[in-house]
């Protein structure tokens, strides 16, 4: 039995991606597709900031795909989206910790645009559905984030991952877009992401995070859940109460709130500490 969805198999195509972006295609300076690279994020970070701004780079496959917190990102050919967008903030950012969250909101909006429902964001920027993780974002910065910096926004999304050889290396629950939207193509998803991200970035640069709060609240899958955050130091426990001013997860415990700035959050079963 073939496990492939009808939308699987379409090769990445710059014309189709631009068509899916609609008017927002004018916001990109360049759109580059490569068949294979180590990491699209690493490639854009190696360029001078002026050449990387508003430049999108997509690969059909990555041999050294990078995930958050030093992990590898499984990047087999022909299945998924591996996309990076360079963006220069020449006035810096008021609070750089909010950028990865704004990127996740942009991607969540894009997924709604291709017809996905019931998806959300798991702080800081995992894209999830009830079945598991759909994708994630890796934001890397060069320069001074409060003055003038280049941000490289990497987005990895499982599009038609079901049945891919080697998929058993993924050590957490996952799902893919094709399971929920069988006709979706990587070009349509790339077009939607590349249409939404520049809008979100301009929104963040000009108005800060307040205009994202409603969407964050709508997509936040951890809110009011008992969670554990595994970071650099000791694990932190508490009830998730949204995000703090620096983009950290607000954890409430014994009536006090603490903003946890980095880590991996998971929802706790009620019988664990
Ligand atoms: C995560 O750990 O959830 C973030 C994964 C980000 C993966 C994307 S794929 C495109 C870009 N290039 C990389 O090497 N990583 C990001």
């Amino acid at each position: 039995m073939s496990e492939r969805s009808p939308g699987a198999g379409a090769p990445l195509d710059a014309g189709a991606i631009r068509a899916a972006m609609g008017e927002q295609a004018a916001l990109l300076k360049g759109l580059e597709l490569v068949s294979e690279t180590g990491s699209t994020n690493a490639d854009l970070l190696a360029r001078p900031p002026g050449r990387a701004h508003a430049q999108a780079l997509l690969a059909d496959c990555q041999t050294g795909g990078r995930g958050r917190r030093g992990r590898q990102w499984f990047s087999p050919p022909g299945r998924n989206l591996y996309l990076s967008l360079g963006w220069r903030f020449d006035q810096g950012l008021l609070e750089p910790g909010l950028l990865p969250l704004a990127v996740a909101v942009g991607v969540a909006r894009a997924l709604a645009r291709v017809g996905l429902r019931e998806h959300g964001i798991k702080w800081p920027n995992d894209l999830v559905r009830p079945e598991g993780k759909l994708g994630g974002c890796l934001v890397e910065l060069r320069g001074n984030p409060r003055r003038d910096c280049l941000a490289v926004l990497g987005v990895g999304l499982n599009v038609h991952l079901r049945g891919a050889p080697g998929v058993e290396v993924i050590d957490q629950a996952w799902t893919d877009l094709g399971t929920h939207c069988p006709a979706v193509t990587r070009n349509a998803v790339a077009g939607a992401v590349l249409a939404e991200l520049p809008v979100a970035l301009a929104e963040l640069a000009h108005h800060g995070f307040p205009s994202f709060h409603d969407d964050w609240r709508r997509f936040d899958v951890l809110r009011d859940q008992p969670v554990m955050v595994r970071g650099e130091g000791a694990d932190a426990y508490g009830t998730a109460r949204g995000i703090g001013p620096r983009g950290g997860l607000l954890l409430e415990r014994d009536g006090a709130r603490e903003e946890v700035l980095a880590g991996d959050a998971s929802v706790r079963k009620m019988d664990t500490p």
Side-chain angles (χ1 to χ4, degrees):
M1 182 192 91
S2 165
E3 289 200 69
R4 306 216 78 183
S5 315
L12 287 174
D13 178 90
I17 294 172
R18 284 191 182 277
M21 290 179 71
E23 289 178 357
Q24 268 91 32
L27 301 175
L28 276 193
K29 261 185 14 203
L31 171 61
E32 231 176 303
L33 310 183
V34 295
S35 55
E36 181 182 302
T37 188
S39 154
T40 54
N41 262 33
D43 290 350
L44 280 188
L45 279 168
R47 296 184 186 177
R51 278 191 44 219
H53 176 68
Q55 182 72 35
L57 175 63
L58 283 87
D60 192 55
C61 124
Q62 298 183 121
T63 51
R66 312 208 289 222
R68 283 181 56 243
R69 305 178 63 72
R71 285 184 289 249
Q72 292 184 345
W73 188 253
F74 181 58
S75 310
R79 301 268 178 175
N80 292 336
L81 201 66
Y82 317 115
L83 171 163
S84 297
L85 175 67
W87 204 260
R88 186 172 181 185
F89 293 93
D90 55 7
Q91 313 277 308
L93 285 156
L94 275 179
E95 182 40 75
L98 290 164
L99 175 61
L101 281 55
V103 170
V105 170
V107 177
R109 290 172 180 163
L111 296 180
R113 196 169 159 138
V114 295
L116 189 71
R117 299 290 174 263
E118 287 184 58
H119 60 287
I121 301 170
K122 182 163 80 68
W123 177 89
N125 54 18
D126 278 1
L127 283 307
V128 295
R129 262 194 54 108
E131 302 81 0
K133 181 161 168 169
L134 280 162
C137 313
L138 176 68
V139 173
E140 298 185 275
L141 293 173
R142 283 275 177 283
N144 184 333
R146 291 188 191 272
R147 284 173 181 271
D148 182 359
C149 62
L150 172 73
V152 172
L153 319 163
V155 179
L157 286 169
N158 303 334
V159 185
H160 295 290
L161 187 58
R162 229 169 355 121
V167 76
E168 27 335 303
V169 300
I170 303 180
D171 61 358
Q172 59 181 311
W174 61 269
T175 185
D176 64 1
L177 290 168
T179 300
H180 311 286
C181 306
V184 82
T185 63
R186 291 182 296 162
N187 294 319
V189 183
V193 170
L194 288 173
E196 290 291 344
L197 281 184
V199 172
L201 297 170
E203 192 179 330
L204 184 71
H206 296 124
H207 308 291
F209 202 75
S211 65
F212 290 87
H213 272 298
D214 284 352
D215 273 354
W216 183 268
R217 217 187 153 91
R218 181 158 72 92
F219 287 122
D220 179 6
V221 298
L222 296 179
R223 180 172 286 271
D224 300 331
Q225 300 283 331
V227 300
M228 179 187 84
V229 182
R230 183 148 283 168
E232 256 108 67
D235 296 346
Y237 295 91
T239 303
R241 299 293 190 207
I243 51 161
R246 299 174 64 194
L249 182 66
L250 274 188
L251 279 188
E252 186 177 272
R253 198 177 182 190
D254 301 328
R257 287 186 180 194
E258 174 198 5
E259 183 175 3
V260 180
L261 294 177
D264 289 313
S266 51
V267 175
R268 272 186 300 143
K269 304 266 179 302
M270 291 311 283
D271 55 358
T272 56

